Amino acid sequence: MTAYIIRRLLLVIPTLWAIVTINFFIIQLAPGGPVDQMIANMQGNQASLMDRFVGSGQQELVSPSSGESERSSRTGDSAYRGARGLTEADIAAIEARFGFDKPIHVRYVEMLWNYLRFDFGESLFRGRSVVELIVERMPVSISLGLWSTLIIYLVSIPLGIRKAVKHSTPFDVWTSSVIFAANAIPSFLFAVLLIILFAGGSYFDWFPLRGLVSNNWDELSLLGKIGDYLWHMVLPVTALVIGGFAGLTMLTKNSFLDEIHKQYVLTARAKGCTEKKILYGHVFRNAMLIIIAGFPAAFISIFFTGALLIETIFSLDGLGLLGLESVLQRDYPVIFSTLYVFTLLGLLMGIISDLMYTWIDPRIDFEARVG
């Protein structure tokens, strides 16, 4: 098993390199990078200032005779859109600030070397370390992902087992109808409905609308802090889990149904074992193998992708919202750093899933399969 783990860990390196490399060149070669963003911002500020001057009757400040040649109107000689009114020195300074004064292959090699040392640099537009931003946003995403995954598993597994035992009964039919109807509701739409109903939208004002904790959280007692945290988690977690029961519930049901009709179950019944002992003493371990082993992957899925819209709707500063803001701003250090961390965690969670297979059922030996 040790050799298998070592091989999987070594496979992480080329996989991570390939993903980061492909995304680096796609994003770097795409138009509208951080230099364009900064030029657009500067031009917007200049236009706003100009409008204020003109609106106050001071048109003479923008007269051509006041040195327009020094502002170097850049209508055709710039590679960047919206660069009018900026000199070559201005654009060169912006490029140097963002590191775009170097060739793309030099930037690529520097990025790989820095990422090998987990040196992610600083955000281009926030003026803070990328590591600080990730660590600051991590608790929100972990909270949403962990609570949502736990609730989905705690509800879906018992429900799936019950549906397998009561297969084709009215209980099986109406529970299937309920979970599939819930699965058809988009999480963001359900989140808006929860806000309207319970967060002061139109009816009740029972739950907070934004943030992970209240403003006076530091002043609360230990129990008060726990209660305040859970109080803030109710609506976003509910919105996340509403559509997550169907897949796992049906997987659990079908897995148990498949095991119940196998020969060893018939043998156990012939020996006089009770249905409860057969179900939980023999069927449970085999049926739950794929379900429990998939827990890390399920957590990563919710942690990375499921909470983006929920974080936006409930104003939760998590990694999903950070990634969206970084893409819109073309904040490359944050984009590549979050991609690097997410990919690395996803690959490691895949290895953990394999280890959970062997922990749940020692009969599984990946080393023997490789040999």
Side-chain angles (χ1 to χ4, degrees):
M1 192 62 186
T2 303
Y4 172 78
I5 296 175
I6 293 175
R7 282 195 295 271
R8 287 294 303 273
L9 290 175
L10 292 177
L11 186 62
V12 167
I13 299 175
T15 305
L16 186 62
W17 169 79
I19 293 174
V20 171
T21 298
I22 292 173
N23 283 274
F24 174 84
F25 285 103
I26 289 176
I27 295 178
Q28 290 281 339
L29 296 176
V35 175
D36 293 301
Q37 292 284 328
M38 179 58 69
I39 290 175
N41 291 338
M42 295 178 67
Q43 290 301 121
N45 293 335
Q46 288 181 0
S48 177
L49 183 61
M50 198 81 68
D51 290 340
R52 289 202 302 269
F53 285 152
V54 172
S56 61
Q58 300 184 26
Q59 290 89 341
E60 66 276 10
L61 294 178
V62 295
S63 172
S65 61
S66 60
E68 185 176 354
S69 59
E70 295 178 1
R71 291 192 296 272
S72 179
S73 175
R74 303 184 51 80
T75 58
D77 58 344
S78 174
Y80 300 103
R81 297 179 180 178
R84 297 176 180 178
L86 295 178
T87 65
E88 290 284 355
D90 293 331
I91 296 179
I94 295 174
E95 291 177 339
R97 174 184 174 185
F98 293 152
F100 280 78
D101 56 332
K102 304 174 183 177
I104 188 172
H105 67 277
V106 175
R107 301 200 304 269
Y108 170 69
V109 172
E110 289 181 352
M111 183 198 71
L112 290 182
W113 171 242
N114 291 332
Y115 281 14
L116 286 175
R117 299 176 295 150
F118 288 90
D119 179 11
F120 300 133
E122 291 190 357
S123 168
L124 299 181
F125 297 97
R126 292 176 173 84
R128 297 179 57 191
S129 168
V130 175
V131 174
E132 291 180 3
L133 290 172
I134 293 178
V135 172
E136 181 182 285
R137 305 283 185 107
M138 188 76 74
V140 175
S141 296
I142 291 179
S143 296
L144 291 175
L146 185 60
W147 284 116
S148 301
T149 307
L150 287 176
I151 291 174
I152 290 173
Y153 266 73
L154 290 175
V155 173
S156 298
I157 291 176
L159 181 59
I161 295 173
R162 186 67 175 173
K163 287 173 64 65
V165 174
K166 299 290 185 179
H167 181 57
S168 297
T169 63
F171 173 83
D172 183 33
V173 174
W174 74 260
T175 52
S176 295
S177 301
V178 171
I179 62 174
F180 281 119
N183 186 59
I185 303 175
S187 60
F188 71 91
L189 185 61
F190 191 71
V192 174
L193 178 62
L194 290 176
I195 291 175
I196 295 174
L197 293 177
F198 303 111
S202 299
Y203 297 92
F204 305 102
D205 190 8
W206 292 348
F207 297 97
L209 182 58
R210 63 182 66 245
L212 191 63
V213 294
S214 300
N215 294 330
N216 63 336
W217 191 78
D218 292 331
E219 303 173 2
L220 301 175
S221 62
L222 178 59
L223 292 179
K225 291 180 178 180
I226 295 175
D228 182 74
Y229 165 75
L230 296 176
W231 182 48
H232 281 75
M233 283 286 99
V234 171
L235 293 188
V237 170
T238 302
L240 271 177
V241 303
I242 187 64
F245 297 120
L248 185 59
T249 299
M250 299 309 297
L251 177 62
T252 304
K253 175 190 173 181
N254 294 333
S255 181
F256 271 79
L257 284 176
D258 184 58
E259 293 294 328
I260 287 173
H261 293 93
K262 289 186 176 180
Q263 185 63 42
Y264 73 90
V265 175
L266 299 177
T267 303
R269 285 174 178 164
K271 291 181 178 181
C273 294
T274 63
E275 289 296 323
K276 185 176 181 179
K277 183 177 180 180
I278 293 173
L279 183 64
Y280 294 102
H282 298 280
V283 175
F284 186 83
R285 184 178 69 175
N286 296 325
M288 291 299 296
L289 177 61
I290 189 173
I291 298 168
I292 297 179
F295 180 85
F299 171 69
I300 287 295
S301 177
I302 297 178
F303 180 63
F304 291 152
T305 61
L308 172 58
L309 292 175
I310 302 301
E311 290 178 4
T312 304
I313 293 173
F314 289 98
S315 300
L316 298 172
D317 291 331
L319 292 177
L321 185 58
L322 175 64
L324 176 62
E325 294 172 348
S326 301
V327 170
L328 296 177
Q329 294 178 338
R330 305 299 193 272
D331 198 340
Y332 288 167
V334 179
I335 294 174
F336 291 127
S337 299
T338 52
L339 173 67
Y340 182 83
V341 173
F342 290 172
T343 304
L344 180 60
L345 288 177
L347 294 172
L348 294 178
M349 283 297 179
I351 300 176
I352 294 175
S353 295
D354 289 346
L355 296 179
M356 290 190 69
Y357 276 108
T358 61
W359 175 67
I360 297 170
D361 190 349
R363 295 172 297 177
I364 297 178
D365 187 0
F366 289 104
E367 197 66 46
R369 290 172 182 262
V370 173

